[in-house]
Amino acid sequence: MSFGHSSHAGCRHRHPRTRYLPMLLAAWLGSTTALAVTPSPSGAPDALAVANPATPVSPMDPLTWPSTPVDTGPVPAADRAQALAAWQRANARVAEFPRGHADLLKWEAATPSAPQTTAPSAATTFTLAEALQRSLRLHPDLLASPDLAPAERVRLQSRWADHVRQVQTAWLAAVTAHERHRIAAEVLENARLGAELGRRMVQAGNWSQARQLREQVIETRARQGWMATALERRVSLEQLARLTGVWDNTEANGLTGRLPPQLPAAPAQVPQAPDAQAQALARRPGLDTLRAKLDSALPLPGMDAWDDATDRAARDLRGEDTTVMGDAPAIHDRRLFNNHRIPHTAELRGELLREATVRRSQVREAEAALQAHHALARLAQDELVARQRLIEQETLLRYNGMLMSTWDLLAAARDRLAALDEATQARHRYWQAEADWRSLLAGGHYPGAQAAGDGGASGNAPEGH
C-alpha cells in the first residue's frame, strides 16, 4: 500500500507518488524534513522555550473569505434597440473565444475565487512517517527499554498502536480536508462563471431578474461551501499540529503547503490477514494473564454444579420477545457460595469469555467495514467519477455543436465536482477503516466501524450544485 500523490478523474494536476510506510514501523523508517522549530542542542524542540509565555511568535494567518460580488447587474433594458445592441456586443466578445462564454469569463476574471495551489515536492511533503516521528518527541513513554518484561511490552505495544491510529486519523483528516477545499474552490469558480454570465444575460435583456437571482443563490451557496471547507481544513491542521508538536505559528502556516494534495486511490485488493483474530487476541493486554489464572484454577470441584444452577436461573427469566421483566436471576443453593473459589473462578471465566468474545467480534466488524469501504471507494472512483466525467465531455461536444447551452455545460461540471467530492470522502473512509483494522490487530482499541456514507448527500459536501 502506498500513500502518495495518485491522480483521479477530474483533477487538474498529477503528482509524483510517494511510498507509504507500514504503520507500526513508520516512526523509525524513512527520511524526514524537519520543520523550522527552535531546536535544542540534541535537535529536539526546546520545551522550556515553547512553554515560556515570553517566547515571541509570528502572527497566525487569518482565515480569508472569497469576495462578495458587489455588482448584481443592471436593470433589464426597457428599450428594444438598446437591448439588441447590448446583446450584439456581448456575442461579439464571445466569438473571440473557442469555448464561448466560459472561456471569456475565465479570461476576464479579475479576482480569482481562491489562490491556486501547487503540490509540494517529495522532499518537503509532510508524510505520515514524519508525523509519527515528530509525535515521538511528545511521548517518550512510548519508547521501549531493552529490559522490558514481556507483559509490559504487550501493554506498550497496545498503547503504541492506539497512538499510531490517533496520529494517522488526524493526518488522513487533514489531507482530506485539504483536497475538499480545493474542490470547493472549483465549485465556487463554476458558480461565479454562471452568476456573471447571468448578469450579462440580464444586461442584454434576455433574462429576467428572477432567473439571475437563481444563479446568484448558487454562487452564494458555493461561497458557503468554500468557507465551511476552509474552516474544516484549519481545524484538521490544528489537530494534526497538536499531535506532532507544531507549536509555532510560522510552522502552522507552512503546514498547509506541505500536505499531499490528496490521498491515493483504494488498492485493487483488500488487505488480508487469515489469522486476524489470533493476532488481536495475542496482542490484547491482560488477556494472557486472565487465561493463565483460569487455567491454573481449573478443574475445580463444584463448577459443574455452578453451571447447572446458572442455567436454571436463566430458564426462570420471563418476558415478552422484546422485554424481560422481573427480578434479577438468582442462585438459591447456598452451598455453592461456601467455597469462595467457585464464584471467584466463575467471575474470572466470565471476564475472559467477555474479553475474547468482544475482541473476536471487533475483528469481524473491522473486516466487514474494511471490505465495505473498499468497495464503496472503488465504486465512487471507478464508476461515479468516471461516468460524470464522460457526461461532462459529452455535454461539451454537444455544446460545441450548439446542441446544448452554457448552462448545461456548467451543470455537468458541477455534477462532476460533486462526484469528485463524494469520491474523496469515500477514499478517506477506506483509509480510516484500514487504519482502525491494523490498529486492532496490533493490540489497540477499536473505535467501531464508520458509517458507509449517504450516497453523496453529505452535509459537508461543497455546496453550489
Side-chain angles (χ1 to χ4, degrees), residues 211-439:
R211 182 79 182 272
Q212 181 192 11
L213 286 172
R214 285 196 291 270
E215 293 299 321
Q216 289 176 335
V217 167
I218 291 176
E219 192 275 341
T220 299
R221 288 176 174 167
R223 261 187 293 138
Q224 289 177 324
W226 193 95
M227 293 176 181
T229 56
L231 176 59
E232 180 186 1
R233 181 176 66 167
R234 173 62 66 86
V235 170
S236 64
L237 282 172
E238 292 301 340
Q239 290 172 345
L240 181 61
R242 288 195 288 272
L243 293 172
T244 55
V246 178
W247 64 273
D248 184 68
N249 291 354
T250 302
E251 300 176 70
N253 285 330
L255 195 58
T256 301
R258 295 193 58 208
L259 286 174
Q262 62 195 39
L263 298 176
Q269 301 294 329
V270 180
Q272 300 291 332
D275 60 342
Q277 292 190 22
Q279 291 186 46
L281 290 174
R283 294 169 180 171
R284 178 62 177 169
L287 209 58
D288 279 345
T289 302
L290 284 174
R291 191 165 60 246
K293 287 182 178 180
L294 183 61
D295 187 60
S296 63
L298 295 175
L300 177 64
M303 285 302 298
D304 290 341
W306 177 277
D307 291 339
D308 291 340
T310 300
D311 291 341
R312 286 194 299 272
R315 287 194 295 269
D316 289 340
L317 293 174
R318 293 290 183 269
E320 303 296 334
D321 291 340
T322 58
T323 305
V324 176
M325 306 296 293
D327 298 330
I331 293 179
H332 302 288
D333 189 347
R334 296 180 182 275
R335 295 173 299 174
L336 295 176
F337 293 92
N338 292 336
N339 183 355
H340 296 295
R341 291 178 58 196
I342 295 177
H344 174 74
T345 302
E347 291 179 5
L348 185 65
R349 184 180 61 183
E351 182 180 2
L352 181 61
L353 182 59
R354 288 195 306 272
E355 288 289 332
T357 299
V358 167
R359 207 65 174 170
R360 290 182 182 276
S361 174
Q362 287 177 335
V363 171
R364 294 194 299 268
E365 180 183 333
E367 289 176 337
L370 183 64
Q371 294 164 7
H373 286 300
H374 177 269
L376 289 167
R378 293 302 298 260
L379 188 67
Q381 182 64 45
D382 298 343
E383 296 189 28
L384 183 61
V385 173
R387 289 172 180 172
Q388 286 292 352
R389 185 182 183 187
L390 290 175
I391 290 174
E392 184 182 21
Q393 292 173 348
E394 177 66 18
T395 303
L396 178 59
L397 290 175
R398 293 174 65 82
Y399 168 81
N400 289 335
M402 302 183 68
L403 299 175
M404 300 187 79
S405 69
T406 302
W407 314 107
D408 295 321
L409 187 60
L410 291 175
R414 286 197 297 268
D415 290 341
R416 175 184 58 82
L417 291 171
L420 191 58
D421 184 71
E422 185 177 341
T424 297
Q425 295 181 76
R427 191 183 308 119
H428 176 212
R429 286 190 288 266
Y430 165 73
W431 290 119
Q432 185 62 60
E434 183 177 311
D436 295 341
W437 175 72
R438 291 188 184 278
S439 175

